[in-house]
Amino acid sequence: MIGKESHRSIAQRLQQDAFWFRQRGALLSFMILGLMLLFLSLFLGERFVSTTNIANLAGQLAPLFLVSLGQTFVLLGAGFDLSVGAVISLTTAILTLDFPDVFKLPLAIAAAVTVGLVNGVGCVYLRVHPIIMTLATSSIVQGVALILLPTPGGIAPQVLVTAASGTLFGLPAGFYWIIAAAALSIWVVHGTKYGVRLYATGENPQSAWINGINAPSIRISTYVISAMCAAIAGAYLTGRLASGDPNVGIALGLDSILGAALGGTLLSGGVGGPIGTIAGVLIIGLLNNGLNLANISPYYQFVFKGAMLIAAVSLFRRKEAGL
Amino acid sequence: MTRSLRNLPPAFWGLIAVGVLAAFTQPQFLSLPFLMILLRQAASIGIVALGQTFVVANRSLDLSVGANIAFVNLILAHAMWSGYHPFVAIVVALAAGTFIGFANGVLVTKLRASAVVVTLGTAAIITGIGFLYTGGAPGSSISDLVKWLGRGRVGIVPVAGLVWLGFAIAAFIIMRRLALGRFIYAAGDNPFAALFSGLPVDRTLLASHTLCGFFAASGGVLLSGLIGVGSINLGADYVLSSITAVILGGAVFGGGAGGAVGTVLGTALLVTVLNLLTVFGVGEPGKLIMQGLVIAAAAIIYQQGRRNG
Amino acid sequence: MQLTGLPGMCHAVVGENGAGKSTLMKILSGVVRPDRGRIVKDGEDLKLHHPLDARHAGISTIFQEFSLLPNLSVAENLFLGREGDIGHAMTRAELAQRSEQALSELELNIAPDRRVGSLGVGQQQMVEITKGVLADASVFIFDEPTAALASHEVDVLFALIERLKDEGKTIFYVSHRLAEIFTLCDDITIMKDGEFVRCVPTALTNEDEVIEGMVGRPIAELFEARAASIGPVLLEAKGYQGQAMKRPVDLTVGTGEIVGVAGLEAQGQQELMRALAGFDQRRGGSLTLQGKDISDIEARKRIAAGIGLVPESRKDDGLFLSLDIADNMQSAQVARGGLFALTPSLGELTRDIMTRLAVKAPDARTPVSDLSGGNQQKVVLGRWLLAGAHVLLCEEPTRGVDIGAKREIYRQLRAFAQQGNGILVTSRELTELIGLCDRLLVIRDGGIVSDVPAEGATEDSLLRAALPTSLDGGQTEAA
């Protein structure tokens, strides 16, 4: 269909084609990921390329995949969600309550949706800055989680334990959670009209509105999606740990932004997507895993992660400096 | 008159309300000795929050203040300073903290990347370096000078409170009497208009971040003195607290509002509320919830006022 | 305000900038809500609260400020928000195919997956037009569709509008260019200062009558007398070129002189102004201010040397909306000091300038967001008076201000020039440039193609020089 313009160079297409322009960050992350894979398999050999290690990795990374993919939606809509970590904590707290299992799952989902709606309405209709709004809800939700479950413990529903730590066709459950979440979010963003509307809203809510898109609902929906992804991640973690931990989410909250940003999703909205996030999360996972296997002090993780984060966001200069 | 009333930060009304509530329910809360304990406790948060005010008014954010404080603490507690004058450790710690702020500023202005991500990144790096520096086992050789700064008293007044006052005056002068303050508010409100008026937009942002680093490190010195030992996770909750105090003080990402006085009031309100909750027997979770509600309420009220005003 | 469109007819809406044409069109397209009054279509009252309402009512608008999203593809933009009209989700291939078909009807050869932001302004305008006519509508609104188009694109557009007329559609056509209106439209509604003046069939009127209706008074009354004599050169560019400029430029601005830069939309006016002010790196040539070479100094130092920039978008680039008048006016003067300098006390000077410019506000502590557009513009001008600028680079000085404020701004600009300063001004309104300036430059495709005295220049002669190829074919230079 492109016909007469097909002679354009790759660099030109990255600039000129809408799809590639929005995914140019992802392209880079996959290149970094490829180099990392090559490097790790060369230097660590069997220790890295073993089924146990890969299964381990999938199990460990599944929660980060889930929250990062959720965060990607919020970032695409030019928002920001710092509350995902607290939602994970709240979910594990709810799921390990002394309560019949049938009620706990719907309750956890309902709680997450509520948090997402509050975030969305606060940011969109009350016009509070997303960082402030989600910082506030994060604090509230973490408080509630601590009230429900003051210390780690409780018993996870058996269904979740099976779903999170079982195996199917020789592959660990985490692997399937990852595939399902990735496939679903790629389909939603790249295969539905919601996806196009999300990109439009993230780029310029006013123009989107003029085009007949209900930009406020789209923006609110991203917070709900992100909270629900966090709840699912919480459910997975609960199953994997087979008990609850009210502080389990804290680190994941920030890592979710890291994963999306490393994958080339811009914090200013409208550029990037779940494909890049997959690469971003894998980069984080391989970094931790590689350092572990190579017996390098885990403290270096922090340094590398921070440096990579800064490198990732510095690739695309914005017009203004600041937030 | 109406305008000056409108310009009072949310914290002002909050403090009055909390004061009245305390007077009726917990009168001993308002006694001078107790207030002095509050003052000592508030000083370190107060100084960090003053630093955060510069960047928030400049439409930026520093999420690395917690890591900064922890790093300062690890330096002060390290045994390597035992042979030196206690000043040396303090100067080195302050220089390190200031450098962190400066590095944030350079990254934010040169890379044009989001300050949120950049300062998250530097926070991770500093945390890692701190772990590597101490091997995960922080020392406990905090000098008496630092302890005196954090815990000591001059008469009835805590030294930390006096230090806080000094920093508040310095912050007030910077924000309201120096060109830098004008630049911060202007560039925070509209960086493009600032550029086209000939303001040194990038140097202003660099200066705000550097100041924030210096203030955070100074808060870290007081906190280290108060705690008295090295601790890996010191200051983690200062990120949230400092932002809360700034918002209560009326500054919200640009917008020309807020300042030294507002942030001092904001800090006072935050610390008072948290302590009052303790007196009422509310635990850590309840305080978190309260803090979240207060941030949301202050931000929403401020935003509605702006839209109508 | 009243406006009636008939099927199969093209109805022109004309008026000066700020007469309210675009606002009226935005009301019809549901973007702005009317304060009062009714909109009736086919005998039914319409309530247009949302752009979707207008779309459902069969009204399609081609916006002046494009409604396109630069990071989406052409195809995505064309079908944005109306995927539902088609009844089923489209596959990528179907989307591409339908887009190509729609584009080819307007003789556009653009790949549907191209990013709109990577297209030229003219192509973007054509995509905007394609998007507008793709809609299944009975009323089409064209808001200044030709401002960014080359002449062959204008021909394509006119053929399209004729076709729509033949199909019995109603068309509202907003334009500055009267020649177009007289070839295309059946009726003309004239607006002035937000109000209806009259509606006449095109056949029963002529250009002079229409202009008189738009202006409502002899144009000369709006403007001050031109400079009696021009002093020595203040600002001189010799082959000067910024990174974003397509061509090097030679120009001078003399003492007491107001020089206008005329041209079609996006011909490099803004790039020129920003480069002269130092916000774009120099690629070549030289620039002198009062005989001093300022070619290689950065924007801040050029400002300190006496250059002032009044940016086109007052709200985005000019004002600190949440700060007060004093902070806004003093910013450029305060900026001359270092970061740690004490703020100078400028209260008296600020009040002085507020009085001189007749800024309508209780005091200097009034937030600028409380001021009208005209008064806000005076605050930006006041900033440069306060900073003692000698050369003002003024982009669109009267955009979005009412007629009274326009007159006031013309007066202030002239007064500023008379005090031994110079002004370089860009504007979309040719009448404004002719009335305000002493000398006019015409810019086309980044280069200055004509340099004529404003006295005696006509819109027609300027437009001839500004168009890549004039409407009647030949390439004409203005006399």
Side-chain angles (χ1 to χ4, degrees):
Chain A
M1 266 299 142
I2 299 118
K4 48 256 159 203
E5 289 196 315
S6 55
H7 59 271
R8 288 176 299 159
S9 70
I10 291 173
Q12 267 176 333
R13 301 197 63 143
L14 279 178
Q15 268 306 308
Q16 293 181 346
D17 278 13
F19 177 82
W20 289 111
F21 181 80
R22 299 196 300 254
Q23 303 302 327
R24 71 210 142 114
L27 214 62
L28 199 76
S29 331
F30 272 103
M31 290 199 290
I32 295 173
L33 183 62
L35 283 178
M36 279 181 84
L37 281 172
L38 191 71
F39 189 81
L40 289 175
S41 31
L42 279 180
F43 283 86
L44 297 169
E46 299 266 298
R47 273 187 295 161
F48 177 68
V49 199
S50 70
T51 35
T52 29
N53 186 43
I54 288 167
N56 212 346
L57 203 57
Q60 276 171 5
L61 279 185
L64 185 57
F65 260 108
L66 289 160
V67 276
S68 294
L69 288 169
Q71 185 74 257
T72 306
F73 280 83
V74 182
L75 296 182
L76 282 181
F80 204 85
D81 192 351
L82 287 171
S83 71
V84 285
V87 172
I88 293 176
S89 304
L90 177 67
T91 310
T92 69
I94 291 176
L95 289 176
T96 47
L97 284 176
D98 192 10
F99 230 52
D101 287 356
V102 221
F103 297 124
K104 286 198 285 193
L105 264 172
L107 188 65
I109 296 286
V113 171
T114 311
V115 176
L117 280 175
V118 170
N119 281 335
V121 170
C123 295
V124 175
Y125 287 116
L126 302 176
R127 300 183 190 204
V128 178
H129 195 285
I131 293 174
I132 298 177
M133 189 66 213
T134 56
L135 202 62
T137 48
S138 160
S139 179
I140 298 170
V141 171
Q142 186 63 41
V144 174
L146 283 168
I147 288 177
L148 294 178
L149 183 73
T151 50
I155 293 173
Q158 192 52 44
V159 201
L160 285 179
V161 178
T162 320
S165 43
T167 53
L168 185 65
F169 306 123
L171 287 167
F175 180 76
Y176 296 99
W177 288 63
I178 292 174
I179 296 290
L184 191 65
S185 41
I186 291 174
W187 175 70
V188 170
V189 171
H190 297 293
T192 68
K193 62 184 181 189
Y194 174 85
V196 181
R197 290 171 179 204
L198 176 57
Y199 277 113
T201 305
E203 188 180 355
N204 186 338
Q206 186 60 28
S207 300
W209 187 77
I210 287 175
N211 281 296
I213 292 170
N214 192 342
S217 327
I218 300 262
R219 287 172 64 197
I220 293 175
S221 74
T222 61
Y223 288 96
V224 176
I225 290 174
S226 149
M228 281 180 52
C229 286
I232 297 169
Y236 174 85
L237 271 173
T238 315
R240 199 172 144 83
L241 300 172
S243 76
D245 179 352
N247 290 315
V248 71
I250 292 172
L252 280 169
L254 295 182
D255 276 1
S256 71
I257 294 162
L258 181 64
L262 273 181
T265 298
L266 294 194
L267 272 71
S268 45
V271 174
I275 300 176
T277 303
I278 293 169
V281 173
L282 283 174
I283 290 175
I284 301 175
L286 290 184
L287 179 72
N288 290 354
N289 187 253
L291 289 175
N292 266 338
L293 292 178
N295 285 326
I296 295 174
S297 160
Y299 301 143
Y300 279 112
Q301 271 182 32
F302 291 99
V303 182
F304 280 125
K305 249 200 299 206
M308 277 197 327
L309 185 58
I310 292 171
V313 290
S314 62
L315 287 173
F316 307 105
R317 285 171 63 91
R318 306 179 304 170
K319 237 168 123 191
E320 78 274 24
L323 275 183
Chain B
M1 186 61 203
T2 45
R3 199 156 66 231
S4 54
L5 269 183
R6 203 174 66 191
N7 281 348
L8 284 173
F12 180 76
W13 306 109
L15 265 178
I16 291 179
V18 171
V20 171
L21 178 75
F24 280 103
T25 55
Q26 305 283 345
Q28 82 282 7
F29 193 85
L30 295 177
S31 68
L32 200 55
F34 197 81
L35 286 178
M36 288 299 142
I37 293 173
L38 281 192
L39 179 59
R40 193 177 69 178
Q41 199 193 334
S44 51
I45 300 181
I47 292 173
V48 180
L50 284 169
Q52 193 74 265
T53 312
F54 296 119
V55 283
V56 170
N58 209 161
R59 200 188 286 260
S60 190
L61 192 65
D62 188 348
L63 295 178
S64 71
V65 288
N68 191 335
I69 293 169
F71 195 60
V72 164
N73 171 259
L74 293 178
I75 291 178
L76 291 174
H78 205 278
M80 65 194 273
W81 309 111
S82 52
Y84 297 89
H85 190 276
F87 257 134
V88 178
I90 295 180
V91 169
V92 170
L94 289 180
T98 311
F99 179 76
I100 293 169
F102 176 75
N104 283 333
V106 169
L107 292 171
V108 168
T109 54
K110 293 296 168 217
L111 303 180
R112 305 257 142 192
S114 159
V116 176
V117 179
V118 166
T119 55
L120 273 183
T122 48
I125 295 175
I126 305 158
T127 307
I129 294 177
F131 278 136
L132 292 167
Y133 169 57
T134 58
S140 55
S141 341
I142 287 182
S143 67
D144 289 339
L145 176 62
V146 174
K147 286 182 184 159
W148 177 74
L149 285 171
R151 302 173 184 168
R153 289 174 188 283
V154 177
I156 186 177
V157 186
V159 178
L162 295 173
V163 176
W164 183 20
L165 180 69
F167 274 92
I169 292 170
F172 180 83
I173 290 173
I174 292 169
M175 295 296 259
R176 296 291 168 195
R177 293 285 175 270
L178 296 190
L180 178 58
R182 292 278 196 105
F183 296 168
I184 287 175
Y185 285 119
D189 183 59
N190 186 345
F192 298 113
L195 186 71
F196 292 133
S197 313
L199 262 57
V201 179
D202 280 0
R203 263 191 286 151
T204 301
L205 192 55
L206 179 61
S208 329
H209 272 286
T210 310
L211 279 170
C212 181
F214 174 66
F215 275 56
S218 309
V221 172
L222 292 192
L223 185 64
S224 302
L226 189 63
I227 304 290
V229 291
S231 156
I232 278 289
N233 265 328
L234 196 71
D237 53 344
Y238 272 45
V239 178
L240 183 61
S241 308
S242 65
I243 295 172
T244 311
V246 170
I247 293 168
L248 290 178
V252 181
F253 299 134
V261 179
T263 298
V264 168
L265 293 176
T267 311
L269 176 62
L270 176 69
V271 173
T272 314
V273 167
L274 292 181
N275 277 283
L276 202 55
L277 288 174
T278 313
V279 174
F280 284 133
V282 178
E284 208 48 46
K287 285 183 192 167
L288 275 175
I289 295 176
M290 195 55 174
Q291 197 162 340
L293 288 175
V294 165
I295 298 177
I300 290 169
I301 291 169
Y302 176 77
Q303 211 58 35
Q304 299 313 305
R306 251 160 79 93
R307 212 187 318 177
N308 303 333
Chain C
M1 183 64 216
Q2 61 187 76
L3 183 66
T4 313
L6 299 171
M9 300 287 225
C10 179
H11 193 129
V13 180
V14 299
E16 291 190 292
N17 257 13
K21 299 163 299 189
S22 286
T23 310
L24 179 66
M25 295 305 129
K26 280 182 181 157
I27 289 174
L28 289 181
S29 53
V31 175
V32 173
R33 286 188 203 179
D35 294 330
R36 58 182 167 275
R38 295 192 305 157
I39 303 166
V40 183
K41 180 169 177 276
D42 301 331
E44 267 182 66
D45 252 342
L46 292 184
K47 294 253 175 298
L48 304 176
H49 294 317
H50 189 276
L52 267 185
D53 296 339
R55 185 179 296 169
H56 292 318
I59 302 172
S60 176
T61 309
I62 287 92
F63 289 96
Q64 181 184 5
E65 296 109 10
F66 310 134
S67 63
L68 302 174
L69 288 142
N71 281 353
L72 296 193
S73 70
V74 172
E76 284 166 337
N77 264 295
L78 288 179
F79 291 95
L80 191 63
R82 61 163 71 101
E83 303 90 343
D85 297 359
I86 300 142
H88 63 99
M90 279 189 288
T91 61
R92 249 195 143 64
E94 191 183 350
L95 192 67
Q97 193 234 324
R98 293 183 63 129
S99 306
E100 285 219 325
Q101 189 192 338
L103 291 167
S104 66
E105 276 176 30
L106 284 177
E107 298 178 19
L108 283 173
N109 179 16
I110 306 172
D113 50 6
R114 271 290 287 268
R115 183 169 69 92
V116 164
S118 72
L119 301 174
V121 199
Q123 280 180 312
Q124 290 192 22
Q125 177 71 72
M126 291 304 276
V127 172
E128 173 81 29
I129 292 167
T130 312
K131 191 178 91 176
V133 295
L134 255 178
D136 177 27
S138 53
V139 177
F140 292 89
I141 300 171
F142 291 84
D143 194 355
E144 300 272 3
T146 54
L149 295 187
S151 60
H152 64 278
E153 290 169 324
V154 173
D155 295 341
V156 173
L157 171 69
F158 284 8
L160 170 87
I161 291 177
E162 289 298 340
R163 203 189 75 214
L164 290 173
K165 274 163 74 173
D166 292 343
E167 288 169 10
K169 312 285 190 192
T170 307
I171 290 153
F172 292 109
Y173 190 88
V174 179
S175 180
H176 269 117
R177 302 191 191 163
L178 293 181
E180 286 177 2
I181 285 171
F182 277 87
T183 55
L184 198 64
C185 301
D186 305 289
D187 297 295
I188 301 178
T189 286
I190 302 168
M191 290 181 76
K192 185 168 88 70
D193 300 343
E195 282 169 13
F196 174 82
V197 177
R198 64 172 169 270
C199 176
V200 283
T202 314
L204 299 182
T205 186
N206 58 47
E207 289 200 21
D208 288 343
E209 271 183 34
V210 173
I211 292 177
E212 201 191 302
M214 279 161 57
V215 180
R217 67 180 80 72
I219 293 181
E221 254 181 38
L222 261 178
F223 300 103
E224 302 294 305
R226 292 181 216 278
S229 65
I230 308 294
V233 169
L234 267 179
L235 183 77
E236 180 169 26
K238 275 193 191 140
Y240 192 80
Q241 189 176 17
Q243 293 296 336
M245 288 169 64
K246 280 191 184 165
R247 290 168 219 288
V249 155
D250 293 291
L251 60 81
T252 59
V253 179
T255 309
E257 191 180 30
I258 304 182
V259 179
V261 179
L264 300 183
E265 199 81 11
Q267 295 297 308
Q269 292 95 326
Q270 196 171 64
E271 288 80 0
L272 170 67
M273 300 297 253
R274 306 274 158 113
L276 292 178
F279 292 104
D280 187 11
Q281 279 202 331
R282 186 176 71 108
R283 209 195 301 180
S286 70
L287 186 67
T288 53
L289 177 68
Q290 294 173 307
K292 251 188 344 207
D293 184 30
I294 55 165
S295 317
D296 275 324
I297 66 176
E298 47 151 9
R300 281 198 70 215
K301 290 196 182 134
R302 288 190 193 184
I303 287 169
I307 283 186
L309 176 73
V310 177
E312 172 177 350
S313 172
R314 208 162 38 235
K315 290 199 164 137
D316 293 337
D317 297 334
L319 291 169
F320 307 106
L321 279 175
S322 44
L323 304 184
D324 58 31
I325 294 178
D327 282 338
N328 271 281
M329 274 202 189
Q330 296 164 3
S331 60
Q333 177 60 26
V334 177
R336 294 186 168 182
L339 291 183
F340 298 101
L342 283 172
T343 44
S345 82
L346 298 165
E348 205 157 314
L349 191 53
T350 309
R351 275 192 296 280
D352 219 44
I353 287 171
M354 278 178 70
T355 328
R356 204 180 336 148
L357 294 179
V359 177
K360 287 186 200 76
D363 58 28
R365 292 283 149 214
T366 311
V368 282
S369 52
D370 291 356
L371 303 181
S372 68
N375 280 307
Q376 288 182 342
Q377 188 71 335
K378 289 183 199 167
V379 170
V380 181
L381 281 180
R383 174 183 298 162
W384 297 114
L385 295 187
L386 202 151
H390 294 304
V391 173
L392 212 51
L393 305 171
C394 214
E395 298 174 358
E396 304 286 339
T398 61
R399 201 177 84 154
V401 308
D402 64 40
I403 195 91
K406 268 188 188 180
R407 195 170 174 174
E408 188 66 30
I409 287 167
Y410 298 146
R411 212 164 62 80
Q412 293 302 339
L413 289 176
R414 182 49 75 186
F416 176 79
Q418 274 169 353
Q419 286 153 15
N421 304 310
I423 299 174
L424 186 67
V425 56
T426 67
S427 175
R428 287 186 178 77
E429 276 185 86
L430 296 176
T431 42
E432 170 173 293
L433 288 178
I434 295 170
L436 171 70
C437 301
D438 299 304
R439 195 152 54 82
L440 295 173
L441 311 172
V442 176
I443 190 168
R444 186 174 76 208
D445 199 24
I448 287 172
V449 293
S450 160
D451 183 343
V452 292
E455 184 92 62
T458 62
E459 285 194 59
D460 197 48
S461 66
L462 293 174
L463 209 51
R464 261 177 226 278
L467 284 172
T469 45
S470 70
L471 279 174
D472 39 73
Q475 181 122 4
T476 337
E477 287 289 314

